[in-house]
Amino acid sequence: MKTTSSFLLLALVGIASAQDVSVAGGGHGGPNSPRKPLVTSTKLQQEIHSSNLVKHAKQLVNFSKLSNGTRAFGSVAHNATLSYIKGLLDKTNFYDTVYQTFPYLYSEGSATFSANGSSYSTSWFTYGPAGDVTAPLVIVNDLGCEASDFPAAVVGKIALIQRGTCEFGRKIALAGAARAAGAILYNNADGAIGGGTLGQISRPDVGPYVPAGAISGLDGQALVASISGGTEIVGNIHVVAVNENRYTSNIIATTKTGDKRNIVMAGAHTDSVPAGPGINDNGSGTATLLEIALRLPRFSFTNAIRFGWWTAEEFGLVGSGHYVTTLSEQEKQKVAIYLNFDMVASPNAGHFIYDGDGSAFNLTGPAGSDHIEKTFEKYFVSAKVKSAPTQFNGRSDYGPFLDARIPAGGFNSGAEGIMTAEEAKWWNGQAGVAYDKCYHQACDGIDNLNIPAWIVNAKGAAHGIATYAQSLKGIPREPRAPAREVQATKLSYDQRRHLACGGEIFSA
Ligand SMILES: *[C@@H]1O[C@H](CO)[C@@H](O)[C@H](O)[C@H]1NC(C)=O
Ligand SMILES: *[C@@H]1O[C@H](CO)[C@@H](O)[C@H](O)[C@H]1NC(C)=O
Ligand SMILES: *[C@@H]1O[C@H](CO)[C@@H](O)[C@H](O)[C@H]1NC(C)=O
Ligand SMILES: *[C@@H]1O[C@H](CO)[C@@H](O)[C@H](O)[C@H]1NC(C)=O
Ligand SMILES: *[C@@H]1O[C@H](CO)[C@@H](O)[C@H](O)[C@H]1NC(C)=O
Ligand SMILES: CC(=O)N[C@H]1CO[C@H](CO)[C@@H](O)[C@@H]1O
Ligand SMILES: [Zn+2]
């Protein structure tokens, strides 16, 4: 797949410069003025400056301070991010911009557990209720999967339950049904239980959830041994949690000019994980598209351009999934391609293009995705930066577009993966270190940005948008086969979170 011929590259450059000279430039007319120059890759790239990108990123950091260092969807800081984007777009009078607002369940929390004078490493369960309980621990029989496993002595106490056989959520609801005050679940292997979930927001058919935490198998076995030996152990469970429906919005902005039957769409997500401000992930993508959107009014183009700033990506591609599933077949057909630009300024950056033709990972995108991949390969060749393919697995906002058979592509600079020695040579990076050591953490702030890599990538995004805004040659435009049901939206809340963020799913 990395067989870009120099002939093709020259041909591309030739076309671009022919168009550069054939159109009179410098017009200052309205949005439909024929005097504006036709956008070209070269001209749009020249409009991209790191100072403006960094200005947007700093603004996002400032917003995160409104919400204690996060821009998670539904927070004041996320809403401020949306107002900032929409306000700047509206000022250009160049776009039809709408908020697409909808409710989605938000669940976030943490748990601590201490007993016998020491505090235990404890994890929280998604959907687990908040609370503070101090009470003696009572051992639950067997695996706590049946009401009869819970002894009468558990009333008002903390139920100590071993992992296994049935879902976490059933155990915690049965503890509530038995009128326990709280529950501690310990692993059936020595190590810790991380990233567990109660699976559903409530289980009215089983019982009410109680404040709960998860500890390692070794810690649990030691507690069981002491209690079985007749020692009373009083524990404290403290859970801080928010489980609520939040209204949140996508921003969809479409140029007033250009052919709206052939839309070039580009997207990035506007929310961060609850743990941090999300400046590389994916503030960098948000800022890149915003800056390109603010520069486009100087140009004319053949095809309309539409931007999607997606909400709640970190909760499982929620915003982009909502957008795609609420589009009619006819409107889907008008979206010619979708380009995704998220995480484009990783500190130990790679340059990974989605493997749309499947040549590297055997996951092939809808017809046309191969063309998009080649367009970006050519860009990186022209920028004299090595690129590598990355699996086209749907693990970002382009996933719902793939499900709708819309050709897609894009690139990213790497997340939690570790840079190899060979890659370190290509990209002058650090071998054995993550591409983004702050991935999904509080330290994903302004200092986490790799400005040189960002500029290369932002110009690459400009290249993709300008190229297809000029011409969709090479992208099939005949009616697509009816879309499959969008896969991402059929997944459960927890599967979605897994899909987006790599968290572990435990059901038993
Ligand atoms: C962010 O906040 C700091 C401190 O309040 C301020 O100095 C800076 O101008 C703000 N930056 C932006 C881009 O608004
Ligand atoms: C803000 O974050 C800090 C550190 O993560 C935490 O200790 C504090 O409780 C949080 N405050 C609020 C209001 O959420
Ligand atoms: C954020 O915006 C939504 C949608 O407009 C609104 O319902 C919500 O109350 C706002 N949240 C906060 C925390 O301001
Ligand atoms: C509780 O503390 C006592 C005294 O420090 C210790 O001997 C015992 O092993 C502890 N039990 C557990 C389950 O940690
Ligand atoms: C590629 O995937 C297809 C469909 O899943 C499969 O039939 C084929 O064997 C795979 N090819 C390779 C080389 O793995
Ligand atoms: C879920 C997440 O962390 N967000 C996305 C940020 O962008 C990268 C690169 O496109 C995606 O892989 C992530 O899924
Ligand atoms: Zn993320």
Side-chain angles (χ1 to χ4, degrees):
M1 68 180 279
K2 306 222 52 65
T3 53
T4 306
S5 81
S6 49
F7 170 74
L8 276 178
L9 186 64
L10 286 171
L12 183 82
V13 170
I15 289 162
S17 33
Q19 284 178 349
D20 279 354
V21 295
S22 67
V23 181
H28 292 286
N32 289 306
S33 167
R35 286 155 64 218
K36 291 186 183 185
L38 187 67
V39 72
T40 65
S41 169
T42 313
K43 283 183 187 161
L44 190 56
Q45 287 185 48
Q46 280 163 0
E47 298 284 325
I48 306 301
H49 302 289
S50 59
S51 54
N52 287 333
L53 296 172
V54 170
K55 185 184 73 186
H56 299 312
K58 283 188 175 159
Q59 189 63 62
L60 299 185
V61 172
N62 278 14
F63 293 147
S64 73
K65 291 175 189 159
L66 298 171
S67 298
N68 204 20
T70 174
R71 294 184 306 108
F73 90 86
S75 66
V76 171
H78 184 245
N79 283 10
T81 302
L82 299 181
S83 305
Y84 175 69
I85 295 170
K86 184 156 188 304
L88 288 175
L89 294 176
D90 285 348
K91 268 197 220 159
T92 67
N93 194 30
F94 195 71
Y95 297 93
D96 292 318
T97 304
V98 294
Y99 276 136
Q100 187 182 30
T101 302
F102 57 96
Y104 198 72
L105 182 66
Y106 181 89
S107 182
E108 187 208 340
S110 62
T112 60
F113 172 62
S114 58
N116 199 31
S118 52
S119 66
Y120 291 80
S121 171
T122 311
S123 60
W124 172 75
F125 295 102
T126 301
Y127 302 125
D132 188 274
V133 179
T134 301
L137 297 174
V138 172
I139 299 168
V140 170
N141 301 318
D142 294 328
L143 296 166
C145 290
E146 303 302 329
S148 56
D149 291 344
F150 290 77
V154 90
V155 176
K157 309 281 174 25
I158 293 174
L160 185 59
I161 314 169
Q162 190 176 17
R163 178 185 189 177
T165 302
C166 63
E167 290 176 49
F168 295 149
R170 178 171 172 81
K171 295 175 194 239
I172 305 304
L174 281 171
R179 288 188 290 132
I184 288 294
L185 214 136
Y186 63 97
N187 206 352
N188 51 6
D190 286 353
I193 299 176
T197 169
L198 301 186
Q200 302 164 23
I201 183 71
S202 65
R203 297 190 185 234
D205 52 320
V206 182
Y209 290 143
V210 290
I215 62 174
S216 74
L218 283 178
D219 287 341
Q221 287 147 25
L223 289 167
V224 167
S226 291
I227 299 164
S228 308
T231 313
E232 186 183 71
I233 296 191
V234 174
N236 171 261
I237 306 176
H238 184 75
V239 181
V240 180
V242 179
N243 297 293
E244 64 188 19
N245 259 321
R246 289 182 170 182
Y247 280 85
T248 187
S249 310
N250 291 325
I251 296 177
I252 311 295
T254 310
T255 53
K256 293 180 198 281
T257 59
D259 181 356
K260 290 192 187 57
R261 290 162 309 173
N262 290 296
I263 298 170
V264 174
M265 187 152 189
H269 73 79
T270 53
D271 64 314
S272 73
V273 286
I279 298 305
N280 180 37
D281 177 13
N282 274 307
S284 58
T286 292
T288 300
L289 290 192
L290 179 58
E291 190 53 24
I292 291 173
L294 295 177
R295 295 287 160 170
L296 282 174
R298 296 160 183 239
F299 301 102
S300 64
F301 14 81
T302 312
N303 304 310
I305 301 169
R306 177 175 293 165
F307 294 96
W309 280 277
W310 311 121
T311 186
E313 191 263 14
E314 298 291 6
F315 281 72
L317 321 181
V318 175
S320 50
H322 181 80
Y323 173 76
V324 173
T325 48
T326 55
L327 271 189
S328 66
E329 274 311 317
Q330 202 182 3
E331 288 302 312
K332 277 179 202 160
Q333 181 61 38
K334 291 178 187 168
V335 178
I337 58 166
Y338 174 72
L339 307 176
N340 202 59
F341 302 107
D342 267 345
M343 281 188 90
V344 291
S346 303
N348 196 30
H351 295 276
F352 297 105
I353 304 174
Y354 298 128
D355 180 33
D357 64 6
S359 64
F361 295 96
N362 199 23
L363 287 174
T364 309
S369 307
D370 50 344
H371 193 274
I372 298 171
E373 182 183 2
K374 289 195 174 58
T375 295
F376 287 125
E377 284 174 359
K378 283 175 199 163
Y379 165 73
F380 283 103
V381 169
S382 72
K384 300 192 170 56
V385 172
K386 167 89 182 160
S387 68
T390 185
Q391 204 179 31
F392 204 41
N393 59 9
R395 200 191 139 188
S396 188
D397 287 309
Y398 62 89
F401 289 84
L402 298 189
D403 293 335
R405 311 228 162 140
I406 295 171
F411 50 80
N412 67 60
S413 53
E416 77 277 38
I418 304 295
M419 186 177 278
T420 66
E422 189 184 24
E423 291 170 347
K425 277 186 221 144
W426 296 342
W427 293 316
N428 196 19
Q430 283 180 278
V433 174
Y435 304 108
D436 184 352
K437 63 186 186 311
C438 287
Y439 182 64
H440 285 181
Q441 294 170 43
C443 60
D444 184 11
I446 207 83
D447 298 332
N448 196 40
L449 294 171
N450 178 333
I451 307 294
W454 193 3
I455 266 289
V456 168
N457 287 338
K459 286 178 185 254
H463 172 77
I465 291 168
T467 300
Y468 291 113
Q470 263 184 7
S471 167
L472 286 164
K473 197 158 176 287
I475 303 291
R477 292 299 290 133
E478 66 273 13
R480 299 172 187 121
R484 288 178 285 149
E485 244 186 288
V486 172
Q487 297 297 317
T489 51
K490 282 194 301 194
L491 301 176
S492 73
Y493 182 88
D494 298 294
Q495 286 171 318
R496 284 162 162 250
R497 291 195 57 158
H498 175 77
L499 183 71
C501 291
E504 281 187 276
I505 309 168
F506 293 90
S507 61

